[in-house]
Amino acid sequence: MEILDNFNLKNFNTFHVSAYARYFINVTDISSLKEALAFAATKELPFMLIGQGSNLLFRENYPGVILEMNIQGKKIIDEDGDSVLVKARCGENWHAFVQWCLGNTCYGLENLSLIPGNIGAAPVQNIGAYGVELCEVMESLEAVEISTGQLKTFSNADCRFSYRSSVFKEELKDQYVIYSVSFRLSRKAEVKIDYDSLAIALQKLSVEEVTPELVSKVVCEIRRSKLPNPGRLGNAGSFFWNPVISTEDFSRLQKNFPDIVSYPQGDKVKLAAAWLIEQAGWKGFREGDVGVHQDHALVLVNYGQGTGAQLVTLSEQIRDSVQDKFGIVLVPEVRII
Ligand code: EPU
């Protein structure tokens, strides 16, 4: 196991901000994971795991140990009629795995195409896009308990999934490292195409049959058309959560802002944070090398030399102005370190 000292994380966060980790370890199997955790414990240093750094913003240098999770492997482990169980280890790239599933006629993940990040990070925040959330297709996962080094299995229910959250972000925060995730997929080419922008894009194509492969292709096109490619322009996708409010609060807001964009969310209402930010005048804003993307107001960007601290300051200015205008406090979805 190689331990790197004072390591620049610029290429390990999709904002591409410069920040140094005290130590950096590339973890490629479960024994090096346990060794790396033991190293951090011996040094009495904090540690954190990163996959592709696609939901992270380093405000400053990191004083502890960074574990780059690179444990690879994926396979079909069980089949029963149309139902198929597929398992992937934490270091697999999410989008490559979605494409691999499609290539092996395992359907159900296509709406989640092109989401940045690794398998291991996906359940933590219950990733979701275009009408599908991970919790709808995840069967179980295996995770290493940090305090004991033991591998434990979590059922879907054990993960207590909710909108962009799970038990690993709440009660069990920082207690487990996700090692592998199993998905219950289907051999049947059934598609979910209710999400507005997806349905509209598919209608425009006026094809006779909508296949999972087509859904994946169209989702990729939509994402590419409005979400900047982090390889070219530093960003971490949606910076804030879409706020969820009560129907009473929503009725009051709607009186003043009749065009407000919203979606029903159980007995509550989810607002489009992008709409709130755009209405507050931020879309396309740029100061120095940080700004708000011109095509999507929920995406903060680093044009090159922007720093984590500048991005955090910008996010606070946005939060304050949205609060002044709408009385809604936006909360970052991106993890600020
Ligand atoms: N909108 C604006 N201005 C904009 C962009 C959008 O007013 O600049 C409004 C539009 O009315 C649009 C609505 O906001 O209909 C919602 O926008 P969009 O469909 O792009 O989705 P989102 O709510 O901004 C969420 C996820 C995305 C996911 C998309 C598609 C969150 C925080 N974000 O974004 O996830 O890709 O839906 O399902 O839930 C991510 O988490 O990093 C991410 C990109």
Side-chain angles (χ1 to χ4, degrees):
M1 185 181 71
E2 195 185 1
I3 300 170
L4 302 168
D5 244 359
N6 285 326
F7 185 84
N8 193 341
L9 301 164
K10 200 173 168 70
N11 295 326
F12 290 85
N13 71 95
T14 57
F15 270 117
H16 305 305
V17 296
S18 192
Y20 286 82
R22 178 74 188 87
Y23 296 106
F24 183 93
I25 304 175
N26 179 8
V27 173
T28 52
D29 56 31
I30 198 158
S31 63
S32 61
L33 170 62
K34 288 180 186 174
E35 255 182 86
L37 292 171
F39 172 78
T42 326
K43 291 270 179 196
E44 293 184 7
L45 285 175
F47 69 89
M48 66 176 276
L49 313 170
I50 61 169
Q52 280 154 16
S54 52
N55 207 35
L56 275 182
L57 178 56
F58 291 103
R59 187 206 303 248
E60 52 201 23
N61 292 337
Y62 185 69
V65 188
I66 299 248
L67 279 54
E68 187 204 358
M69 298 302 284
N70 239 329
I71 307 177
Q72 304 285 326
K74 50 184 178 293
K75 63 177 176 190
I76 294 173
I77 54 170
D78 193 24
E79 271 205 75
D80 182 10
D82 284 332
S83 169
V84 48
L85 194 61
V86 183
K87 184 171 179 170
R89 296 217 178 106
C90 56
E92 289 284 334
N93 172 274
W94 175 265
H95 178 67
F97 174 67
V98 171
Q99 295 307 305
W100 182 87
C101 289
L102 278 173
N104 284 282
T105 55
C106 300
Y107 301 127
L109 298 177
E110 43 286 346
N111 298 50
L112 305 176
S113 295
L114 216 60
I115 294 185
N118 280 356
I119 292 285
V124 178
Q125 60 155 349
N126 185 20
I127 58 169
Y130 302 101
V132 173
E133 285 187 332
L134 173 127
C135 61
E136 296 164 48
V137 280
M138 197 204 83
E139 172 94 356
S140 63
L141 61 80
E142 291 174 303
V144 175
E145 190 176 26
I146 292 165
S147 60
T148 62
Q150 269 182 2
L151 196 62
K152 292 197 177 173
T153 301
F154 288 77
S155 69
N156 183 305
D158 293 338
C159 296
R160 284 188 241 149
F161 288 120
S162 58
Y163 168 60
R164 287 294 195 279
S165 193
S166 72
V167 75
F168 303 105
K169 257 184 136 170
E170 306 286 339
E171 299 93 301
L172 299 183
K173 191 174 181 336
D174 297 332
Q175 293 182 38
Y176 284 87
V177 176
I178 293 175
Y179 172 63
S180 75
V181 186
S182 298
F183 299 89
R184 177 65 63 186
L185 302 179
S186 175
R187 292 290 190 194
K188 267 205 217 139
E190 280 166 358
V191 291
K192 283 198 184 149
I193 50 174
D194 301 337
Y195 194 86
D196 273 1
S197 54
L198 178 58
I200 292 166
L202 284 163
Q203 265 158 26
K204 279 193 195 140
L205 298 177
S206 48
V207 289
E208 256 171 41
E209 193 200 354
V210 178
T211 61
E213 289 80 5
L214 183 64
V215 170
S216 173
K217 186 167 169 269
V218 170
V219 165
C220 289
E221 281 167 10
I222 300 174
R223 290 188 77 97
R224 287 197 180 106
S225 72
K226 58 179 193 175
L227 296 170
N229 175 351
R232 295 210 197 100
L233 184 62
N235 79 91
S238 302
F239 195 93
F240 297 100
W241 268 305
N242 284 327
V244 178
I245 62 172
S246 68
T247 44
E248 295 78 34
D249 287 348
F250 178 67
S251 304
R252 273 195 293 275
L253 260 180
Q254 206 180 23
K255 281 201 190 94
N256 292 331
F257 305 100
D259 299 335
I260 191 163
V261 177
S262 67
Y263 315 90
Q265 175 92 355
D267 57 357
K268 298 192 164 195
V269 179
K270 186 157 93 178
L271 304 178
W275 188 87
L276 301 172
I277 297 169
E278 181 170 346
Q279 298 303 309
W282 290 99
K283 194 167 175 174
F285 172 89
R286 177 171 177 172
E287 188 175 349
D289 261 358
V290 299
V292 178
H293 196 249
Q294 72 269 19
D295 298 332
H296 205 298
L298 198 46
V299 181
L300 269 59
V301 293
N302 173 15
Y303 288 97
Q305 301 307 314
T307 65
Q310 287 167 341
L311 283 159
V312 172
T313 302
L314 173 61
S315 75
E316 288 167 351
Q317 289 166 340
I318 293 170
R319 179 199 61 198
D320 292 349
S321 82
V322 166
Q323 185 174 12
D324 287 349
K325 192 170 167 91
F326 299 101
I328 301 278
V329 182
L330 294 178
V331 176
E333 191 213 331
V334 165
R335 243 175 105 196
I336 299 171
I337 308 292

